[in-house]
Amino acid sequence: MSHGHLWDRLAEAKTRLDPVQSKYRVLFEDPNEPDTPARVLCPDPNWMACALTGGVLPPIETYQRDRDVPDGEPKEHPYAEPIGPMTEEEAIEYLIQKDIDPSVWRDYKGNRTIMKIVPVELIPSDRSFRNAWRIMQ
Amino acid sequence: MSTLQVSNLNDGTTTVATTFVTSGSAKVFSKTSADGTSITKSFNVSSLVDTNTGQQTININSNMSDGDYIVQVGKHTSAANAEWVQSTAVGSFIMYNYNGSSYVDSIMFTSVDGDLA
């Protein structure tokens, strides 16, 4: 049986899966833009539900290969066979590889810690100096 | 769940391909919190990045075919006077909210139309 297009699977999954709010956030700094503040990545609740349930999301390698495919050309990830369920920790690792530039999580060789997975409670709620946020070393 | 498979739809006078309907659906939508650290409602979004004050990045789950897609963006405040989208890539775009002198946090809404990869 065909597994169809990823977008169709997401639409079907949204009708039957309850959103899951992750207890994690990913703090990261962009080494290519050292003057910009730390960023905070928040997983989408519908995406997290798909990741934990399985049978919806494609292998992460398909997204990585599609980065080298020119715009407008056919991509691999929408039609790839879906993978099985992940733990929340595995889902966060998948999301880092999908949504954060490899220059942050793979290629950076400096001494600073530029990425951290943290519980959501550790993200400051006071945003007075948001444009000066850095990851504590 | 049963599936109805039809190639065309006809209202008695006009016939359109089913793809006319599916292609006209929003490919991505989102409503995000003002501080950019949570997603209230969404479809086809994998994550939200709080990039800076008044700047949020939406990462798309099932990518668009190219960067030439349409993003409608809105905000949940009358205080700020400009919101826009920039850096539309196949898998992400950045939303900005500016009040004339600085970027400001606001609840943001988006809807994306265009072609999927």
Side-chain angles (χ1 to χ4, degrees), chain A residues 26-41 100 104 112-115 124 126-137, chain B residues 35 49-57 96 103 105:
Chain A
V26 182
L27 270 170
F28 66 99
E29 296 175 5
D30 186 347
N32 302 310
E33 297 182 67
D35 293 334
T36 57
R39 301 168 186 193
V40 184
L41 180 143
I100 298 180
V104 176
R112 278 183 63 79
T113 298
I114 62 167
M115 190 180 74
D126 181 358
R127 295 174 61 82
S128 304
F129 299 99
R130 173 64 186 91
N131 60 4
W133 282 9
R134 293 281 176 200
I135 296 177
M136 192 178 290
Q137 303 295 304
Chain B
D35 60 8
V49 178
D50 167 26
T51 309
N52 201 336
T53 304
Q55 301 175 29
Q56 302 178 5
T57 302
Y96 296 85
Y103 292 98
D105 289 333

Side-chain angles (χ1 to χ4, degrees), chain A residues 5 7 10-11 14 25 37 39-42 44 46-47 57 63 71-72 75 77-78 98-99 127 130-131, chain B residues 26-27 35 37 39 42-50 52-53 59-63 65 90 105 116-117:
Chain A
H5 193 283
W7 192 85
L10 293 169
K14 190 173 167 61
R25 297 290 184 267
R39 301 168 186 193
V40 184
L41 180 143
C42 167
D44 178 79
N46 294 308
W47 181 91
L57 303 176
Y63 283 108
D71 285 4
K75 303 292 195 298
H77 77 271
K98 178 188 174 300
D99 289 344
R127 295 174 61 82
R130 173 64 186 91
N131 60 4
Chain B
K27 301 306 186 300
D35 60 8
T37 56
I39 301 170
S42 68
F43 174 63
N44 194 16
V45 171
S46 57
S47 66
L48 164 72
V49 178
D50 167 26
N52 201 336
T53 304
N59 287 305
I60 300 170
N61 201 350
S62 181
N63 288 358
S65 68
V90 293
D105 289 333
L116 290 166

Side-chain angles (χ1 to χ4, degrees), chain A residues 66-86:
Chain A
D66 281 344
R67 283 190 178 143
D68 300 325
V69 179
D71 285 4
E73 296 291 320
K75 303 292 195 298
E76 181 182 356
H77 77 271
Y79 300 100
E81 186 172 349
I83 59 174
M86 292 180 259

